[in-house]
């Protein structure tokens, strides 16, 4: 989704803007642009397609000299991905230029008003109204004009605005869209994401909804929505620049798959104090909780589906999983006896934010499990546990998913202990398994050198089925999603026991079926389903423990996973499926880190 950056300092702004935009490429975009202010004039350059095209067009930024500027990557919502629709957008007199991340919901009525006053529109975007409003309200002070403009806007926005008459100045404002200020020496920055800042500074200010800031090379002043200057804390960004680069891997996705043992360790280790789990400084109040609702989108939702089994088993509280996009409009039956757990890597997914707000408005207590520090979901929830996975750049999540699961396992054990619903022996056994998860993940990565070869065998498939039962089924959901999002092969996940009720009609000679058989309690049953699909010609790739000799004799091909306690197994079982999707996509020459039509952070509905 859209990304924004801005710079004011003593160096030329354009190269820093281009570098920042490159760091935001992973969010998904289809056009890009920058604007630079020099000697009372603002120059704008835009392209459709990749940042590389913008670099070429501007000769690496050299064609736009000037020390103050703003930049944008656009993921089309209002209007096609064309150059006129790309940001930055200028006012009719060219004095004001704006970049915007979010959606202005009342732009149609504002556009009518501005058209009636004689303003011309060059694009189909919602954003352009902002440039014209700022021009309309400008009386010699950009900050005041932006404040008056923001008061007219409904929706979500992070805006960066420059004015030809105010050298060295950038005004930003935030409402329900991420916006972070980077504090430098003699230069200051803003961006929608810390990954665009870490090359320049580790000192950041996180703006809250309704806050404005004025950036000049010498300082940053922050104001509340009434215009009063306020003090803001400077936070330290702990993510380093290497973490946001490929480090020798062909793709971010592969790097992030390989990082999982370390990421999971980082999520667990600081929270284990001897045999006790201490969830940061947070004491999650579970008194009177009778039901738990897990809500999220995409892979985060599937992490919830997998963790449901552990939470129910250890806490003896019913858990339902709800897609955030459904929950928000479902008139949910919940109240003070409900704990809602919202999972989100980015912490900015629009549907997840809306679902969380809906649940809170009904009295539910809210726990967020989020990767990005200071994100919207982290702020709205009553309690937040960070996954500490570090920056995740590939659009298809991997370490984001496994660390979400890990934190959910920690929560399940913590809550079971607190509620006294887990006995000491089970607690100790599960805690020891949890501690060994990083090692088991490493084994899962190491024990499958055959996956690239299997990818060569299966990559031409038109469709694939992923089947399993219980926790294996939950992993099948995520395995199928990984396959379809990066390889573009139709992949469907099915509860193995449901095959007979329709899907088995689709089996034919050579139809690939990925069968997950890692949960011993139910493996025999899944094996019967393997027999059934094989009888109809399916080619079965089984995911199982190496010791399971029966499966070895049934399946056409095997992927191995180490033995893990079934309640915690999903976090390990997913690893070979991530690798399979990766190598299949590689065989098919797909754009693995930036799959078509997808965005990393879905900040619009
Ligand atoms: C997008 C991403 C997925 C992610 C989902 C939810 O669809 O491509 O990888 O699972 O959003 O994102 P979140 O940031 O809320 O976890």
């Amino acid at each position: 989704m859209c990304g924004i950056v801005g710079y004011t300092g003593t160096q030329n702004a354009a190269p820093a803007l281009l570098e920042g935009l490159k760091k935001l490429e992973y969010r998904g975009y289809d056009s890009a642009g920058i604007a630079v202010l020099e000697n009372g004039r603002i120059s704008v350059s835009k392209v459709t397609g990749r940042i590389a095209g913008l670099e070429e067009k501007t000769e690496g930024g050299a064609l736009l000299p000037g020390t103050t500027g703003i930049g944008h990557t656009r993921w089309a919502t209002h209007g096609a991905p064309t150059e006129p629709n790309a940001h930055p957008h200028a006012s009719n007199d060219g004095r004001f230029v704006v970049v915007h991340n979010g959606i202005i919901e009342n732009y149609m009525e504002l556009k009518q008003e501005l058209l009636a006053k004689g303003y011309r529109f060059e694009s189909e975007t919602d954003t352009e109204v902002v440039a014209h409003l700022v021009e309309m309200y400008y009386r010699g002070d950009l900050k005041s004009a932006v404040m008056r403009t923001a008061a007219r806007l409904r929706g979500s926005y992070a805006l960066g605005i420059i004015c030809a008459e105010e050298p060295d100045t950038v005004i930003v404002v935030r409402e329900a869209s991420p916006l972070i200020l980077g504090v430098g020496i003699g230069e200051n920055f803003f961006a929608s994401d810390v990954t665009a800042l870490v090359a320049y500074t580790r000192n950041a200010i996180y703006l809250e909804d309704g806050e404005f800031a004025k950036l000049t090379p010498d300082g940053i002043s922050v104001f509340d929505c009434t215009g009063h200057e306020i003090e803001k804390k400077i936070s330290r960004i702990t993510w380093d620049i290497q973490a946001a680069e490929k480090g020798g891997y062909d793709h971010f996705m592969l790097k992030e798959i390989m990082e999982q043992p370390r990421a999971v360790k980082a999520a667990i280790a600081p929270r284990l104090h001897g045999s006790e789990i201490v969830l940061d400084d947070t004491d999650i109040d579970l008194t009177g909780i009778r039901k738990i609702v897990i809500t999220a989108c995409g892979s985060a939702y599937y992490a919830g589906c997998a963790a449901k089994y552990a939470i129910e088993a250890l806490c003896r509280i019913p858990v339902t999983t709800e897609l955030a996009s459904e929950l928000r409009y479902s008139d949910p039956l919940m109240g003070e006896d409900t704990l809602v757990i919202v999972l989100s890597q980015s912490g900015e997914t629009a549907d997840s934010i809306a679902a969380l707000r809906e649940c809170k408005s009904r009295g539910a207590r809210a726990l967020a499990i989020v990767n990005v520090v200071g994100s919207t979901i982290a702020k709205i929830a009553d309690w937040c546990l960070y996954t500490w996975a570090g920056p995740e750049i590939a659009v298809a999540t991997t370490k984001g998913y496994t660390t979400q699961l890990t934190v959910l396992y920690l929560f399940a054990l913590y809550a079971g202990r607190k509620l006294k619903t887990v006995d000491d022996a089970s607690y100790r056994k599960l805690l020891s398994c949890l501690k060994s998860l990083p090692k088991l993940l490493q084994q899962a990565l190491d024990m499958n050198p055959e996956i690239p070869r299997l990818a060569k065998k299966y990559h031409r498939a038109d469709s694939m089925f992923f089947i399993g039962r219980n926790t294996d089924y939950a992993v099948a959901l995520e395995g199928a999603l990984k396959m379809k999002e990066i390889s573009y092969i139709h992949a469907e996940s099915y509860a193995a026991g449901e095959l007979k009720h329709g899907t088995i009609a689709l089996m034919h000679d050579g139809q690939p079926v990925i069968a997950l058989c890692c949960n011993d309690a139910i493996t025999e049953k899944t094996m019967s389903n393997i027999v059934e699909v094989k009888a109809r010609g399916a080619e079965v790739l089984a995911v199982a423990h190496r010791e399971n000799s029966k499966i070895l004799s049934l399946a056409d091909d095997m992927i191995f996973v180490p033995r893990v306690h079934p309640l915690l197994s999903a976090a390990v079982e997913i690893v070979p499926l991530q690798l399979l999707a990766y190598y299949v996509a590689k065989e098919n020459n797909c754009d693995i880190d930036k799959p078509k039509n997808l965005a990393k952070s879905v900040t619009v509905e």
Side-chain angles (χ1 to χ4, degrees), residues 537-568:
E539 191 89 4
V540 172
L541 167 54
V543 182
H545 304 132
R546 210 188 276 278
E547 316 79 77
N548 190 337
S549 51
K550 276 199 205 154
I551 293 200
L552 278 174
S553 60
L554 268 184
D556 298 281
D557 293 297
M558 293 290 301
I559 284 178
F560 299 111
V561 285
R563 193 169 281 283
V564 187
H565 190 293
L567 289 179
L568 310 187

Side-chain angles (χ1 to χ4, degrees), residues 297-300 344-346 349 395 397 404 599-600 602:
C297 301
S299 297
S344 177
Q345 189 285 126
S346 63
T349 303
V395 166
T397 182
Q404 281 164 356
K600 179 76 183 157
V602 182

